[in-house]
Amino acid sequence: MAVAGGRSTKRLQRGTLSQGLIVGTALRILDEDGPDALTFQRLGKELSSSATAVYRHFASRDHIMVAVAEELDRISLEGYEPHESWTESLRDLAIRAWNTALDHPAAAALCMGRVTRGVHELRAVDAVLEAFHRGGWRGREAVLHYQAFSNFILSMASNNAWRLVNQRFGAEVNWVQEYQPADPDAYPYAEAAKEHLRSVDMTEVFHRQTDILLAALEAEAATLPRD
Amino acid sequence: MAVAGGRSTKRLQRGTLSQGLIVGTALRILDEDGPDALTFQRLGKELSSSATAVYRHFASRDHIMVAVAEELDRISLEGYEPHESWTESLRDLAIRAWNTALDHPAAAALCMGRVTRGVHELRAVDAVLEAFHRGGWRGREAVLHYQAFSNFILSMASNNAWRLVNQRFGAEVNWVQEYQPADPDAYPYAEAAKEHLRSVDMTEVFHRQTDILLAALEAEAATLPRD
DNA sequence: ACCTGAACACCGTTCAAGT
DNA sequence: ACCTGAACACCGTTCAAGT
């Protein structure tokens, strides 16, 4: 009889572990118990292997995080096809990233948008550039727009992911401190906004911002030379 | 004679440490050696105190980070006055946040935009809301725009801060991996963009995005009722 | 009241030893 | 070749002891 709960078989058979299995398990741990829960100890426990066995498949914790980032890219793009309208393609890609961050906030907070140099990242880059190409941009201008767009999307999504993480798993540090006793009405606008501030839906804010951005891009595209 | 380098006086006199001194030191450590350098050990060394003395002034590492976030707010707003044009006020506030993140990338990456409940955060909230009030928005609509604007600015700034951190202090994990051997020209757009991608100036991208956002806000403001 | 030093639990990582 | 277990250096935090 071994530790607790499971098949107390002595040793993991040879080919059990793999990069894919480890990444999937890491993502599940992050989803269930937040960023701090992902340790080698915990990984080993969930894989019912020794903690250090993971080092046969990943060189370090950071390499695991890059692989998780790739997995987020994969999840985001699953089933994506370009739309007829290039703006709809961009909107679709934006919403996919946003939803992935909602589904996996801890993983998104830790590594969304990290450079992975993997296929799925490459697919995402290509999909965005394809849309801008269809919009009429070429060369350096297309790349600038790609950067602005993807940076905007990933920034908003991962920033919101942090908010969710702190809400769900966070130490409640944020709610302890008080505004300094001085100046009760020196900040009238902030004071008046207090009640509204709690009820803001960030997804609504994100959609609004995306609409504004896409409208601006459409207006700019109208001024470009057509092939 | 004590360890090395400094005045080997035995004990720190009573009132030497303070929250302000600790925050300033923490920020300097982050600036010089990146996110991982900020440890209690290092703090104690720089303050020439014992590592645990800091606990008299902050309850935990996280409380220090919140105080650093407040300091970033303070630095950003230093000398700020509303402009005649409300859009110029917003642009000024945006650029201030961006520049603070450039000056203190490690601190910005770790805690920029965190809820601090401090005076300087309150000042920032009030300054943004004041601008939107002047633009003509009221009540819930004003708060929604505040959220969208500040979230956009802080997301872009702290996201860029992470890029800088990984560049300056980072483990060079990102540059090891290769694209999968398959499909050399299955991603033609990404392939064609490769050379441009390296030379993109994120500050230029940020200014462009801010311009787009402010233009959209100005257009929307024109449709609002005037007092 | 504030600072120090030893101690504790935990974490990432290394490595010799098993199969 | 892959998995295990002991060991190492380090980190945040606690606490009794100094002044």
Side-chain angles (χ1 to χ4, degrees), chain A residues 126-148:
Chain A
D126 204 69
V128 172
L129 284 167
E130 187 269 343
F132 279 113
H133 183 92
R134 211 130 46 80
W137 287 274
R138 298 290 181 275
R140 191 182 127 84
E141 282 301 304
V143 174
L144 269 176
H145 277 81
Y146 152 78
Q147 271 290 7

Side-chain angles (χ1 to χ4, degrees), chain B:
Chain B
M1 185 159 63
V3 205
R7 58 241 105 105
S8 47
T9 39
K10 35 237 114 189
R11 201 173 229 260
L12 221 57
Q13 40 182 345
R14 288 299 213 88
T16 313
L17 263 42
S18 69
Q19 294 207 18
L21 181 62
I22 292 168
V23 168
T25 307
L27 186 55
R28 184 161 47 77
I29 294 170
L30 290 170
D31 288 346
E32 287 170 3
D33 294 317
D36 294 344
L38 184 61
T39 66
F40 281 86
Q41 210 63 34
R42 178 71 181 275
L43 261 176
K45 196 174 158 191
E46 300 270 344
L47 295 161
S48 45
S49 77
S50 89
T52 56
V54 177
Y55 276 95
R56 279 291 132 186
H57 300 88
F58 286 102
S60 74
R61 189 182 199 281
D62 207 49
H63 284 80
I64 299 175
M65 292 317 302
V66 170
V68 171
E70 254 288 289
E71 175 68 2
L72 291 181
D73 286 335
R74 193 193 64 73
I75 292 169
S76 296
L77 290 175
E78 207 165 30
Y80 170 78
E81 295 289 339
H83 295 244
E84 273 196 42
S85 150
W86 60 270
T87 52
E88 282 314 304
S89 290
L90 291 179
R91 190 192 311 279
D92 189 0
L93 290 165
I95 292 172
R96 281 163 178 272
W98 183 262
N99 287 339
T100 300
L102 290 187
D103 290 343
H104 308 284
L110 287 177
C111 66
M112 192 170 204
R114 275 196 66 168
V115 174
T116 69
R117 307 243 138 187
V119 233
H120 299 292
E121 177 182 79
L122 184 56
R123 283 177 60 206
V125 173
D126 203 67
V128 172
L129 284 168
E130 188 270 344
F132 280 113
H133 182 92
R134 211 131 46 78
W137 287 273
R138 299 289 181 274
R140 194 183 125 84
E141 282 301 303
V143 174
L144 269 176
H145 276 80
Y146 153 78
Q147 271 291 7
F149 178 81
S150 60
N151 202 52
F152 165 74
I153 300 304
L154 295 172
S155 296
M156 297 282 285
S158 73
N159 206 266
N160 188 55
W162 271 119
R163 281 185 76 247
L164 291 176
V165 163
N166 285 333
Q167 207 168 285
R168 280 193 218 169
F169 310 105
E172 8 49 271
V173 170
N174 299 352
W175 313 109
V176 182
Q177 232 171 315
E178 298 275 296
Y179 284 131
Q180 288 208 352
D183 311 316
D185 44 21
Y187 308 102
Y189 300 104
E191 195 60 34
K194 235 173 199 171
E195 45 184 322
H196 289 301
L197 272 171
R198 293 294 171 131
S199 63
V200 170
D201 174 11
M202 288 312 294
T203 296
E204 183 185 345
V205 169
F206 175 75
H207 278 98
R208 279 206 190 200
Q209 290 279 86
T210 305
D211 290 344
I212 289 173
L213 181 56
L214 289 177
L217 288 173
E218 220 155 18
E220 192 183 330
T223 71
L224 297 173
R226 296 269 105 196
D227 307 299

